[in-house]
Amino acid sequence: MQPKLIIHGGAGSSLKGKGGVESVRRSLNQVIEEVYALLKSGAKASDAVVLGCQLLEDDPRFNAGTGSVLQSDGQIRMSAALMDGTSQRFSGAINVSRLQHPIDLAHHLQNSPDRVLSDYGSAELLRELQIPLYNPLTELRLEEWMQERQENFVKTMAGVVAEPELVENAGRGTIGVVALDSQGNLAVGTSTGGKGFERIGRVSDSAMPAGNYATMHAAVSCTGIGEDIIDECLAARIVVRVTDGLSLHAAMKRTFAEAHKNQRDLGAIALDATGAIAWGKTSEVLLAAFHDGEKIGDTLETNEGTLTGCLEG
């Protein structure tokens, strides 16, 4: 089967000019090229997803891993999840600190009897695995937090991209990868630094089935305001509709129409077992790119009023 791949780097307000579009496009395309090459070599979907998440976590532009936003107390707490559609197995880590790749913990937990750990349990597991401590803080994120502290955290969240000149206003920062391998297996991974400036201990959707879900029929990764994604149970809702017989495009259209009616602020990327690629958003911009087996495309200049898009398999 022809492998397929779609990734995202968050959702938010409009990108500022062509320079912003091209800068984000370069970052996304580099990840697409490396991960798709791995899929073409015969790698499993879950391994491709882990690599894609690691690469996006390493890019300080995006709010995951290095470049994660700071919570109200000035600390970084990250969450990540991985789900294999073939085994229909979900694993995740919630509010973990001092780690380069949160997706690695989620990957390790795939074979554990306890597959979702919170902050304390994640820290203990890091010690057990002897994973080196790592500081994901960047100067731009620290400056962003210090400025907000001076203004008593009037913003409800940090910027989606760690370059103020690229994205207007606040954004919703998460990264995600969905892959279909040559054997027809689906997998999805999602990783985030959270909203930024939030209450200590707040849990995002990224390490829940609401934000990251897969079966053998479809796989979805979400981005946006986590509370809105949880309220819609967005990823699981789309996947269940496909599993129950709707086409991926129809499931996305129905689900995003409902989210739009409910005034949610969110986005999602998806694949199904036929190789169909889909995306949706109620925000102005969805920072997503994909490989359809022949070429790379993206959603960076999708019309503002467009809710969903789909390429059939």
Side-chain angles (χ1 to χ4, degrees):
M1 189 166 189
Q2 183 77 279
K4 300 292 177 67
L5 176 68
I6 185 167
I7 68 174
H8 72 75
S13 302
S14 58
L15 286 163
K16 289 186 177 180
K18 192 67 177 175
V21 171
E22 290 304 327
S23 181
V24 172
R25 180 173 285 143
R26 281 194 299 272
S27 287
L28 294 175
N29 284 2
Q30 286 174 2
V31 175
I32 287 282
E33 288 171 358
E34 188 167 341
V35 177
Y36 196 77
L38 181 64
L39 281 170
K40 285 289 285 184
S41 73
K44 295 192 304 183
S46 57
D47 291 336
V49 165
V50 170
L51 174 62
C53 287
Q54 289 171 338
L55 294 172
L56 288 164
E57 287 171 340
D58 281 341
D59 190 329
R61 172 173 285 128
F62 301 119
N63 175 21
T66 303
S68 287
V69 298
L70 282 67
Q71 292 192 349
S72 57
D73 63 345
Q75 299 299 309
I76 291 175
R77 297 179 180 90
M78 304 168 287
S79 298
L82 177 67
M83 189 160 187
D84 185 289
T86 304
S87 62
Q88 205 171 322
R89 180 173 292 178
F90 182 99
S91 58
I94 296 171
N95 285 341
V96 62
S97 302
R98 300 196 297 173
L99 172 66
Q100 183 174 2
H101 298 128
I103 194 65
D104 287 352
L105 270 187
H107 190 204
H108 175 81
L109 289 166
Q110 274 282 299
N111 296 315
S112 170
D114 306 310
R115 284 189 273 111
V116 182
L117 295 183
S118 63
D119 47 2
Y120 179 77
S122 295
E124 286 295 306
L125 180 58
L126 285 177
R127 280 191 282 271
E128 287 177 27
L129 297 175
Q130 297 184 323
I131 294 176
L133 296 181
Y134 177 82
N135 183 5
L137 179 65
T138 63
E139 189 65 32
L140 277 170
R141 289 302 192 189
L142 179 59
E143 289 176 7
E144 182 181 45
W145 180 84
M146 292 178 67
Q147 181 177 338
E148 275 307 300
R149 185 180 64 171
Q150 291 174 356
E151 298 173 7
N152 293 318
F153 299 114
V154 293
K155 289 183 181 178
T156 58
M157 64 191 76
V160 62
V161 171
E163 294 182 44
E165 72 276 11
L166 292 187
V167 179
E168 296 178 7
N169 305 317
R172 277 62 72 184
T174 307
I175 63 92
V177 179
V178 189
L180 174 71
D181 65 28
S182 58
Q183 301 302 309
N185 301 311
L186 290 159
V188 58
T190 308
S191 180
T192 186
K195 287 194 296 188
F197 321 140
E198 65 264 61
R199 181 182 292 273
I200 301 167
R202 179 257 182 186
V203 177
S204 77
D205 66 284
S206 297
M208 299 183 189
N212 188 88
Y213 198 71
T215 66
M216 62 187 295
H217 302 283
V220 177
S221 172
C222 300
T223 181
I225 295 179
E227 286 73 11
D228 284 358
I229 293 167
I230 294 166
D231 289 344
E232 293 293 315
C233 201
L234 190 67
R237 179 179 291 190
I238 294 165
V239 172
V240 168
R241 282 176 164 165
V242 176
T243 302
D244 285 347
L246 274 187
S247 71
L248 181 60
H249 193 200
M252 293 286 282
K253 284 185 69 175
R254 181 182 295 184
T255 305
F256 274 87
E258 293 165 349
H260 182 67
K261 182 179 178 181
N262 292 334
Q263 298 183 315
R264 309 299 192 191
D265 191 344
L266 41 74
I269 58 172
L271 290 173
D272 73 8
T274 73
I277 302 171
W279 59 90
K281 62 180 177 63
T282 59
S283 54
E284 292 178 38
V285 174
L286 175 66
L287 309 182
F290 54 85
H291 200 303
D292 65 4
E294 296 181 1
K295 62 184 184 304
I296 295 174
D298 62 55
T299 67
L300 300 182
E301 297 177 277
T302 303
N303 290 336
E304 197 172 295
T306 303
L307 289 180
T308 60
C310 188
L311 298 174
E312 296 303 329

Short mmCIF file of all heavy atoms in Angstrom, two decimals, residues 8 49-50 52-53 56-57 63-64 78-83 90-93 102-104 106 173-178 187-193 204-213 219-224 229 235 267 269:
data_model
loop_
_atom_site.label_atom_id
_atom_site.label_comp_id
_atom_site.label_asym_id
_atom_site.label_seq_id
_atom_site.Cartn_x
_atom_site.Cartn_y
_atom_site.Cartn_z
N HIS A 8 0.91 18.26 11.90
CA HIS A 8 0.53 19.66 12.18
C HIS A 8 1.43 20.25 13.25
O HIS A 8 2.05 19.53 14.04
CB HIS A 8 -0.94 19.77 12.59
CG HIS A 8 -1.27 19.24 13.96
ND1 HIS A 8 -0.93 19.90 15.12
CD2 HIS A 8 -1.92 18.12 14.37
CE1 HIS A 8 -1.35 19.22 16.17
NE2 HIS A 8 -1.94 18.12 15.75
N VAL A 49 5.46 7.79 13.29
CA VAL A 49 4.81 8.80 14.12
C VAL A 49 5.75 9.28 15.22
O VAL A 49 5.87 10.49 15.47
CB VAL A 49 3.51 8.24 14.72
CG1 VAL A 49 3.01 9.11 15.87
CG2 VAL A 49 2.43 8.15 13.64
N VAL A 50 6.45 8.37 15.87
CA VAL A 50 7.38 8.75 16.93
C VAL A 50 8.49 9.64 16.37
O VAL A 50 8.82 10.69 16.95
CB VAL A 50 7.97 7.51 17.62
CG1 VAL A 50 9.12 7.90 18.55
CG2 VAL A 50 6.89 6.78 18.40
N GLY A 52 8.39 11.54 13.67
CA GLY A 52 7.80 12.83 13.32
C GLY A 52 7.59 13.71 14.53
O GLY A 52 7.90 14.92 14.51
N CYS A 53 7.08 13.14 15.60
CA CYS A 53 6.87 13.91 16.83
C CYS A 53 8.19 14.38 17.41
O CYS A 53 8.32 15.53 17.86
CB CYS A 53 6.09 13.08 17.85
SG CYS A 53 4.35 12.85 17.47
N LEU A 56 9.42 17.38 15.40
CA LEU A 56 8.63 18.57 15.69
C LEU A 56 8.89 19.07 17.12
O LEU A 56 8.91 20.28 17.37
CB LEU A 56 7.15 18.28 15.50
CG LEU A 56 6.71 18.12 14.03
CD1 LEU A 56 5.35 17.45 13.95
CD2 LEU A 56 6.69 19.47 13.32
N GLU A 57 9.11 18.14 18.05
CA GLU A 57 9.45 18.53 19.42
C GLU A 57 10.81 19.22 19.47
O GLU A 57 11.05 20.06 20.35
CB GLU A 57 9.47 17.30 20.33
CG GLU A 57 8.08 16.75 20.66
CD GLU A 57 8.10 15.42 21.38
OE1 GLU A 57 9.15 14.72 21.32
OE2 GLU A 57 7.09 15.07 22.01
N ASN A 63 5.22 24.58 19.86
CA ASN A 63 4.96 24.45 21.29
C ASN A 63 4.86 22.98 21.69
O ASN A 63 3.78 22.45 21.97
CB ASN A 63 3.67 25.21 21.64
CG ASN A 63 3.26 25.01 23.08
OD1 ASN A 63 4.07 24.65 23.93
ND2 ASN A 63 1.98 25.23 23.36
N ALA A 64 6.01 22.32 21.71
CA ALA A 64 6.12 20.93 22.15
C ALA A 64 7.61 20.64 22.30
O ALA A 64 8.41 21.09 21.48
CB ALA A 64 5.51 19.97 21.13
N MET A 78 4.85 19.30 29.99
CA MET A 78 4.48 18.84 28.65
C MET A 78 3.67 17.55 28.73
O MET A 78 3.80 16.78 29.67
CB MET A 78 5.74 18.62 27.83
CG MET A 78 6.64 19.84 27.74
SD MET A 78 8.30 19.48 27.06
CE MET A 78 9.04 18.59 28.44
N SER A 79 2.86 17.34 27.71
CA SER A 79 2.06 16.11 27.63
C SER A 79 2.16 15.54 26.22
O SER A 79 2.31 16.29 25.25
CB SER A 79 0.60 16.40 27.97
OG SER A 79 0.47 16.86 29.30
N ALA A 80 2.05 14.23 26.12
CA ALA A 80 2.11 13.57 24.81
C ALA A 80 1.37 12.25 24.86
O ALA A 80 1.24 11.64 25.92
CB ALA A 80 3.56 13.34 24.38
N ALA A 81 0.90 11.81 23.69
CA ALA A 81 0.21 10.52 23.60
C ALA A 81 0.51 9.87 22.27
O ALA A 81 0.80 10.53 21.27
CB ALA A 81 -1.30 10.70 23.76
N LEU A 82 0.44 8.54 22.28
CA LEU A 82 0.63 7.73 21.08
C LEU A 82 -0.48 6.69 21.04
O LEU A 82 -0.84 6.11 22.07
CB LEU A 82 1.99 7.03 21.13
CG LEU A 82 2.35 6.08 19.99
CD1 LEU A 82 2.52 6.83 18.68
CD2 LEU A 82 3.63 5.31 20.33
N MET A 83 -1.06 6.47 19.86
CA MET A 83 -2.05 5.41 19.74
C MET A 83 -1.81 4.63 18.46
O MET A 83 -1.69 5.20 17.38
CB MET A 83 -3.47 5.95 19.76
CG MET A 83 -4.51 4.83 19.85
SD MET A 83 -6.11 5.40 20.44
CE MET A 83 -6.98 3.82 20.62
N PHE A 90 -3.73 2.92 23.47
CA PHE A 90 -3.43 4.32 23.77
C PHE A 90 -2.43 4.39 24.92
O PHE A 90 -2.56 3.65 25.90
CB PHE A 90 -4.72 5.05 24.16
CG PHE A 90 -4.55 6.52 24.45
CD1 PHE A 90 -4.86 7.46 23.48
CD2 PHE A 90 -4.11 6.96 25.69
CE1 PHE A 90 -4.72 8.82 23.76
CE2 PHE A 90 -3.97 8.31 25.97
CZ PHE A 90 -4.28 9.25 25.00
N SER A 91 -1.45 5.30 24.83
CA SER A 91 -0.51 5.51 25.94
C SER A 91 -0.13 6.98 25.98
O SER A 91 -0.12 7.66 24.94
CB SER A 91 0.74 4.64 25.78
OG SER A 91 1.39 4.91 24.55
N GLY A 92 0.16 7.48 27.19
CA GLY A 92 0.48 8.89 27.28
C GLY A 92 1.15 9.30 28.57
O GLY A 92 1.14 8.57 29.56
N ALA A 93 1.74 10.50 28.54
CA ALA A 93 2.37 11.10 29.71
C ALA A 93 1.80 12.50 29.87
O ALA A 93 1.66 13.25 28.90
CB ALA A 93 3.88 11.17 29.53
N PRO A 102 8.84 14.17 24.95
CA PRO A 102 7.72 13.57 25.68
C PRO A 102 7.11 12.37 24.96
O PRO A 102 6.62 11.44 25.59
CB PRO A 102 6.72 14.72 25.80
CG PRO A 102 7.58 15.95 25.79
CD PRO A 102 8.70 15.64 24.84
N ILE A 103 7.16 12.38 23.61
CA ILE A 103 6.59 11.25 22.86
C ILE A 103 7.31 9.95 23.18
O ILE A 103 6.73 8.85 23.07
CB ILE A 103 6.62 11.53 21.33
CG1 ILE A 103 5.73 10.54 20.57
CG2 ILE A 103 8.05 11.51 20.81
CD1 ILE A 103 4.26 10.64 20.87
N ASP A 104 8.60 10.03 23.62
CA ASP A 104 9.35 8.82 23.96
C ASP A 104 8.73 8.11 25.16
O ASP A 104 8.71 6.87 25.20
CB ASP A 104 10.81 9.17 24.26
CG ASP A 104 11.61 9.54 23.01
OD1 ASP A 104 11.06 9.38 21.90
OD2 ASP A 104 12.75 9.98 23.17
N ALA A 106 5.52 8.23 25.99
CA ALA A 106 4.29 7.62 25.49
C ALA A 106 4.61 6.34 24.71
O ALA A 106 3.89 5.33 24.84
CB ALA A 106 3.54 8.61 24.60
N GLY A 173 -1.05 25.91 20.53
CA GLY A 173 0.14 25.19 20.10
C GLY A 173 0.18 23.73 20.51
O GLY A 173 0.15 23.41 21.68
N THR A 174 0.25 22.88 19.53
CA THR A 174 0.38 21.44 19.72
C THR A 174 1.05 20.93 18.46
O THR A 174 0.97 21.57 17.42
CB THR A 174 -1.01 20.78 19.84
OG1 THR A 174 -1.76 21.43 20.85
CG2 THR A 174 -0.92 19.31 20.17
N ILE A 175 1.71 19.78 18.52
CA ILE A 175 2.18 19.14 17.30
C ILE A 175 1.53 17.76 17.20
O ILE A 175 1.18 17.16 18.22
CB ILE A 175 3.72 19.04 17.22
CG1 ILE A 175 4.31 18.16 18.33
CG2 ILE A 175 4.34 20.43 17.26
CD1 ILE A 175 4.50 16.71 17.97
N GLY A 176 1.37 17.28 15.98
CA GLY A 176 0.76 15.97 15.80
C GLY A 176 1.20 15.33 14.51
O GLY A 176 1.56 16.01 13.54
N VAL A 177 1.20 13.99 14.49
CA VAL A 177 1.59 13.22 13.31
C VAL A 177 0.63 12.04 13.16
O VAL A 177 0.34 11.34 14.13
CB VAL A 177 3.03 12.66 13.46
CG1 VAL A 177 3.41 11.84 12.24
CG2 VAL A 177 4.03 13.80 13.68
N VAL A 178 0.13 11.85 11.94
CA VAL A 178 -0.71 10.69 11.62
C VAL A 178 -0.09 9.99 10.42
O VAL A 178 0.23 10.63 9.42
CB VAL A 178 -2.16 11.09 11.29
CG1 VAL A 178 -3.05 9.86 11.19
CG2 VAL A 178 -2.72 12.06 12.33
N ALA A 187 -1.38 4.94 12.75
CA ALA A 187 -0.94 5.34 14.08
C ALA A 187 -0.98 6.86 14.17
O ALA A 187 -0.93 7.56 13.15
CB ALA A 187 0.47 4.83 14.38
N VAL A 188 -1.07 7.37 15.40
CA VAL A 188 -1.14 8.82 15.60
C VAL A 188 -0.43 9.19 16.89
O VAL A 188 -0.44 8.46 17.87
CB VAL A 188 -2.62 9.29 15.65
CG1 VAL A 188 -3.40 8.58 16.76
CG2 VAL A 188 -2.71 10.80 15.83
N GLY A 189 0.25 10.34 16.86
CA GLY A 189 0.90 10.87 18.05
C GLY A 189 0.65 12.36 18.16
O GLY A 189 0.55 13.06 17.15
N THR A 190 0.53 12.86 19.40
CA THR A 190 0.29 14.28 19.65
C THR A 190 1.11 14.69 20.86
O THR A 190 1.23 13.94 21.82
CB THR A 190 -1.22 14.53 19.92
OG1 THR A 190 -1.99 13.97 18.85
CG2 THR A 190 -1.52 16.02 20.00
N SER A 191 1.68 15.91 20.80
CA SER A 191 2.54 16.38 21.89
C SER A 191 2.35 17.88 22.05
O SER A 191 2.17 18.61 21.07
CB SER A 191 4.00 16.06 21.56
OG SER A 191 4.88 16.49 22.58
N THR A 192 2.40 18.36 23.30
CA THR A 192 2.15 19.79 23.54
C THR A 192 2.85 20.29 24.79
O THR A 192 3.14 19.51 25.71
CB THR A 192 0.64 20.06 23.68
OG1 THR A 192 0.40 21.46 23.77
CG2 THR A 192 0.07 19.39 24.92
N GLY A 193 3.09 21.59 24.82
CA GLY A 193 3.54 22.25 26.03
C GLY A 193 2.39 22.87 26.80
O GLY A 193 2.61 23.48 27.85
N SER A 204 -4.06 19.04 29.35
CA SER A 204 -4.51 19.31 27.99
C SER A 204 -5.24 18.09 27.41
O SER A 204 -5.26 17.01 28.01
CB SER A 204 -3.32 19.64 27.10
OG SER A 204 -2.62 18.46 26.75
N ASP A 205 -5.79 18.28 26.23
CA ASP A 205 -6.45 17.18 25.53
C ASP A 205 -5.46 16.22 24.87
O ASP A 205 -5.83 15.10 24.50
CB ASP A 205 -7.34 17.74 24.42
CG ASP A 205 -6.51 18.42 23.33
OD1 ASP A 205 -6.03 19.53 23.55
OD2 ASP A 205 -6.33 17.81 22.25
N SER A 206 -4.20 16.64 24.72
CA SER A 206 -3.25 15.89 23.90
C SER A 206 -2.97 14.48 24.41
O SER A 206 -2.67 13.59 23.62
CB SER A 206 -1.92 16.66 23.79
OG SER A 206 -2.12 17.89 23.14
N ALA A 207 -3.06 14.29 25.73
CA ALA A 207 -2.84 12.96 26.28
C ALA A 207 -4.16 12.30 26.65
O ALA A 207 -4.24 11.49 27.58
CB ALA A 207 -1.92 13.02 27.49
N MET A 208 -5.22 12.64 25.90
CA MET A 208 -6.54 12.03 26.06
C MET A 208 -7.04 11.53 24.70
O MET A 208 -6.63 12.07 23.66
CB MET A 208 -7.56 13.04 26.57
CG MET A 208 -7.30 13.67 27.90
SD MET A 208 -8.69 14.76 28.32
CE MET A 208 -8.04 15.57 29.77
N PRO A 209 -7.94 10.56 24.68
CA PRO A 209 -8.55 10.16 23.40
C PRO A 209 -9.31 11.30 22.72
O PRO A 209 -9.56 11.24 21.52
CB PRO A 209 -9.49 9.03 23.82
CG PRO A 209 -8.86 8.45 25.04
CD PRO A 209 -8.28 9.63 25.77
N ALA A 210 -9.67 12.34 23.47
CA ALA A 210 -10.32 13.50 22.85
C ALA A 210 -9.41 14.19 21.84
O ALA A 210 -9.88 14.75 20.85
CB ALA A 210 -10.74 14.50 23.93
N GLY A 211 -8.09 14.15 22.09
CA GLY A 211 -7.16 14.85 21.22
C GLY A 211 -6.28 13.97 20.38
O GLY A 211 -5.57 14.44 19.48
N ASN A 212 -6.31 12.65 20.64
CA ASN A 212 -5.40 11.73 19.95
C ASN A 212 -6.04 10.34 19.95
O ASN A 212 -6.13 9.71 21.02
CB ASN A 212 -4.07 11.70 20.69
CG ASN A 212 -2.99 10.93 19.97
OD1 ASN A 212 -2.28 11.49 19.15
ND2 ASN A 212 -2.82 9.65 20.28
N TYR A 213 -6.50 9.87 18.79
CA TYR A 213 -7.23 8.60 18.79
C TYR A 213 -7.10 7.89 17.44
O TYR A 213 -7.02 8.52 16.40
CB TYR A 213 -8.71 8.84 19.11
CG TYR A 213 -9.43 7.58 19.56
CD1 TYR A 213 -9.16 7.02 20.80
CD2 TYR A 213 -10.36 6.95 18.74
CE1 TYR A 213 -9.80 5.86 21.22
CE2 TYR A 213 -11.01 5.79 19.15
CZ TYR A 213 -10.72 5.25 20.39
OH TYR A 213 -11.34 4.10 20.81
N ALA A 219 -7.43 7.55 12.03
CA ALA A 219 -6.59 8.11 13.09
C ALA A 219 -6.64 9.63 13.01
O ALA A 219 -6.60 10.20 11.91
CB ALA A 219 -5.15 7.61 12.95
N VAL A 220 -6.70 10.29 14.18
CA VAL A 220 -6.88 11.74 14.24
C VAL A 220 -6.01 12.34 15.34
O VAL A 220 -5.96 11.83 16.45
CB VAL A 220 -8.36 12.11 14.51
CG1 VAL A 220 -8.53 13.63 14.65
CG2 VAL A 220 -9.27 11.59 13.41
N SER A 221 -5.35 13.47 15.01
CA SER A 221 -4.64 14.28 15.99
C SER A 221 -5.24 15.68 15.98
O SER A 221 -5.47 16.25 14.91
CB SER A 221 -3.15 14.36 15.66
OG SER A 221 -2.49 15.30 16.50
N CYS A 222 -5.47 16.24 17.17
CA CYS A 222 -6.14 17.54 17.28
C CYS A 222 -5.21 18.62 17.79
O CYS A 222 -4.18 18.36 18.40
CB CYS A 222 -7.33 17.43 18.23
SG CYS A 222 -8.57 16.24 17.71
N THR A 223 -5.62 19.87 17.56
CA THR A 223 -4.93 21.04 18.07
C THR A 223 -5.97 22.12 18.28
O THR A 223 -7.05 22.09 17.69
CB THR A 223 -3.83 21.51 17.10
OG1 THR A 223 -3.17 22.65 17.67
CG2 THR A 223 -4.39 21.87 15.73
N GLY A 224 -5.65 23.08 19.13
CA GLY A 224 -6.60 24.14 19.43
C GLY A 224 -6.74 24.32 20.91
O GLY A 224 -5.87 23.93 21.69
N ILE A 229 -11.67 20.98 22.63
CA ILE A 229 -11.47 19.65 22.04
C ILE A 229 -12.05 18.57 22.96
O ILE A 229 -12.70 17.63 22.50
CB ILE A 229 -9.97 19.41 21.78
CG1 ILE A 229 -9.47 20.37 20.68
CG2 ILE A 229 -9.70 17.96 21.38
CD1 ILE A 229 -7.96 20.43 20.57
N ALA A 235 -11.26 13.97 18.49
CA ALA A 235 -10.58 12.89 17.77
C ALA A 235 -11.39 11.61 17.81
O ALA A 235 -11.61 10.96 16.78
CB ALA A 235 -9.19 12.67 18.35
N GLY A 267 -8.70 22.45 15.67
CA GLY A 267 -8.35 21.91 14.36
C GLY A 267 -7.99 20.45 14.50
O GLY A 267 -7.77 19.95 15.61
N ILE A 269 -6.15 16.85 12.11
CA ILE A 269 -5.66 16.18 10.91
C ILE A 269 -6.03 14.71 11.01
O ILE A 269 -6.15 14.18 12.12
CB ILE A 269 -4.15 16.36 10.73
CG1 ILE A 269 -3.38 15.81 11.95
CG2 ILE A 269 -3.80 17.83 10.48
CD1 ILE A 269 -1.87 15.78 11.79
#
